[in-house]
């Protein structure tokens, strides 16, 4: 938990009961063209860069002797991960506001559509407009979108999928840590020496009290930027302090702790107001209803965490497209209990 106090942010951790689900085995096939690419958003000159994350096996969580380790990061357990693409950068305001404003829904510039999705954008809920500047005056051009609920992030993925014809979603917690580590076993993707964090991430002491434009620091070994710091990032999973205990001594395939309650859920990576130890690869953060602390809506907004200027997201696309039923689970599960 961050040591620093921000008037608009508060974090509360609470245990929950969880259900484990597994991604279908059909995900284990390979792609014929597993390369970096830019997803053009039809009707605009805006794209989203994605980097390949190869299939593999890793030890999830932190070893007992890791400095600043928290109890919820263990026990370490072996996980198999299928191949996917991940956003090279965090989703920016320019990308997110195309979805929120919906002015391009009926525009198509003739770009070739993918064949994974066959429904139109008119079947996707539209985000409500915020009542205040959700960037909190920290800037929007080139900056990550913040104050976004998990529902908003998942619905952005559904909209992007419908718009492009390719299937996008949020990463699972296991996928996120696997991608962050990028084959490393150290506290950070660059090693164990926290003094090197200035080269790789934005945190409390170097961020000037706000988030920064994407991609200014060094990437991790798989070419992903800002995995340590800048803004924390949503994953699909429900949070529990003892999530990992059931995995001890086992090897799990593509685990996803399916959320059964609205709070708490898992964010990863740490942010611009955290200390270096909170940017470690294994560090977990639980969402809280306090992230809506200044929201005047009753009921509280489905779209905005008005007290979470540290929170954003990035997207993934699996190499093997899941069934339509599985797609809906990835998009709709985050909204339950809202």
């Amino acid at each position: 938990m961050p040591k620093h106090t921000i008037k608009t942010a508060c974090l509360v951790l609470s245990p929950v009961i969880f259900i484990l689900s597994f991604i279908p085995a059909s995900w284990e096939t390979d792609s014929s063209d597993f390369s970096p690419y830019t997803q053009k958003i039809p009707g605009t000159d805006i794209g989203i860069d994605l980097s390949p994350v190869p299939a593999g096996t890793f030890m999830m969580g932190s070893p007992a002797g890791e400095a600043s380790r928290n109890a919820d990061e263990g026990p370490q357990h072996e996980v198999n991960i299928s191949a996917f693409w991940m956003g090279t950068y965090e989703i920016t305001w320019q990308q997110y506001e195309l979805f929120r404003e919906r002015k391009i829904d009926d525009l198509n510039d003739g770009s070739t559509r993918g064949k994974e999705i066959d429904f139109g954008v008119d079947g996707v809920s539209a985000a409500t407009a915020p009542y205040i500047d959700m960037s909190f005056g920290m800037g929007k051009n080139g900056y990550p979108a913040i104050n976004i609920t998990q529902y908003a992030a998942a619905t952005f993925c559904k909209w992007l999928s419908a718009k492009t014809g390719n299937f996008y979603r949020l990463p699972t917690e296991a996928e996120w840590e696997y991608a962050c580590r990028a084959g490393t076993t150290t506290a950070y993707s660059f090693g164990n020496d926290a003094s090197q964090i200035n080269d790789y991430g934005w945190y409390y002491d170097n961020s000037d009290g706000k988030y920064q434009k994407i991609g200014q620091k060094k990437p991790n070994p798989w070419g992903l930027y800002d995995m340590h710091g800048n803004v924390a990032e949503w994953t699909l999973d429900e949070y529990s302090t003892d999530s990992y205990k059931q995995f001890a001594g086992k090897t799990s395939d593509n685990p996803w702790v399916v959320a059964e309650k609205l709070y708490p859920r898992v964010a990863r990576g740490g942010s611009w107001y955290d200390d270096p130890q909170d940017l470690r690869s294994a560090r977990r953060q639980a969402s809280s209803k306090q992230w809506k602390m200044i929201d005047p809506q009753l009921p509280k907004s489905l779209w905005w965490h008005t007290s979470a200027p540290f929170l954003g997201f990035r997207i993934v696309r699996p190499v093997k497209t899941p069934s339509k039923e599985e797609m809906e689970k990835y998009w709709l599960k985050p909204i339950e209990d809202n």
Side-chain angles (χ1 to χ4, degrees):
M1 184 179 298
K3 297 178 182 177
H4 315 296
T5 300
I6 290 183
K7 292 181 180 179
T8 56
C10 179
L11 180 63
V12 176
L13 305 183
S14 59
V16 296
I17 297 173
F18 61 86
I19 294 177
L20 177 68
S21 175
F22 291 94
I23 298 171
S26 60
W27 276 50
E28 297 175 4
T29 59
D30 293 327
S31 169
S32 59
D33 184 19
F34 192 44
S35 304
Y37 72 98
T38 298
Q39 176 62 71
K40 178 76 181 305
I41 302 178
T44 78
D45 59 358
I46 295 175
I48 299 175
D49 293 336
L50 291 107
S51 298
V53 177
T57 301
F58 81 113
M59 294 300 293
M60 187 172 182
S62 59
E66 184 168 297
S68 301
R69 180 183 190 267
N70 296 312
D72 64 355
E73 298 168 18
Q76 276 193 303
H77 52 285
E78 189 172 71
V79 174
N80 295 326
I81 297 291
S82 297
F84 59 95
W85 288 273
M86 177 176 254
T88 307
Y89 310 99
E90 294 153 342
I91 292 295
T92 65
W93 280 113
Q94 286 90 342
Q95 295 158 349
Y96 183 78
E97 289 186 333
L98 291 175
F99 157 65
R100 187 187 67 77
E101 295 173 359
R102 304 299 289 269
K103 295 177 181 178
I104 64 165
D105 278 7
D106 297 326
L107 297 179
N108 196 315
D109 60 3
S111 300
T112 301
R113 279 179 52 83
K115 299 180 180 179
E116 301 171 359
I117 303 295
D118 61 0
F119 63 86
V121 292
D122 56 348
V124 183
S125 300
T128 59
Y131 68 97
I132 58 174
D133 172 17
M134 284 299 171
S135 75
F136 291 180
M138 293 189 291
K140 284 192 172 182
N141 187 18
Y143 292 90
I146 57 170
N147 288 303
I148 306 299
T149 65
Q150 191 193 50
Y151 170 53
T155 308
F156 170 89
C157 292
K158 185 175 184 179
W159 172 82
L160 181 66
S161 300
K163 186 72 177 164
T164 64
N166 292 323
F167 172 63
Y168 293 101
R169 60 169 173 81
L170 294 176
T172 65
E173 185 178 13
E175 288 171 336
W176 193 98
E177 183 175 327
Y178 176 69
C180 179
R181 289 187 177 280
T184 67
T185 59
T186 47
Y188 307 89
S189 64
F190 53 83
N192 287 316
D193 184 1
S195 68
Q196 296 182 45
I197 194 67
N198 280 319
D199 292 333
Y200 293 89
W202 298 105
Y203 67 106
Y204 186 77
D205 285 341
N206 73 353
S207 65
D208 194 29
K210 63 186 185 71
Y211 63 15
Q212 301 294 322
K213 290 186 177 183
I214 60 170
Q216 296 188 83
K217 297 294 186 177
K218 292 180 180 179
N220 77 0
W222 286 348
L224 302 170
Y225 291 80
D226 299 312
M227 295 296 283
H228 303 294
N230 206 24
V231 294
E233 300 172 10
W234 278 120
T235 71
L236 285 170
D237 294 52
E238 183 170 287
Y239 173 86
S240 172
T241 56
D242 58 358
S243 295
Y244 296 173
K245 289 183 178 179
Q246 69 169 332
F247 299 118
K250 305 176 184 177
T251 299
S252 57
D253 296 327
N254 300 303
W256 171 23
V257 180
V258 179
E260 296 298 321
K261 298 180 180 180
L262 180 56
Y263 299 108
R265 301 186 183 188
V266 181
R268 286 298 204 111
S271 76
W272 55 269
Y273 78 90
D274 285 315
D275 291 322
Q277 64 264 27
D278 296 317
L279 277 56
R280 292 174 299 108
S281 298
R283 178 70 163 89
R284 308 174 71 210
Q285 186 173 9
S287 69
S288 166
K289 65 181 62 178
Q290 295 299 316
W291 293 1
K292 293 182 186 291
M293 186 165 50
I294 61 174
D295 191 340
Q297 288 190 200
L298 290 174
K300 298 293 187 181
S301 172
L302 294 174
W303 301 97
W304 302 102
H305 274 314
T306 49
S307 302
F310 50 83
L311 180 66
F313 70 103
R314 76 178 72 211
I315 62 174
V316 301
R317 177 188 174 198
V319 165
K320 181 64 176 180
T321 308
S323 68
K324 183 177 180 180
E325 291 73 21
E326 287 294 326
M327 290 182 189
E328 292 295 338
K329 290 180 181 178
Y330 292 121
W331 293 327
L332 296 180
K333 196 64 183 178
I335 75 170
E336 291 191 4
D337 293 336
N338 267 285

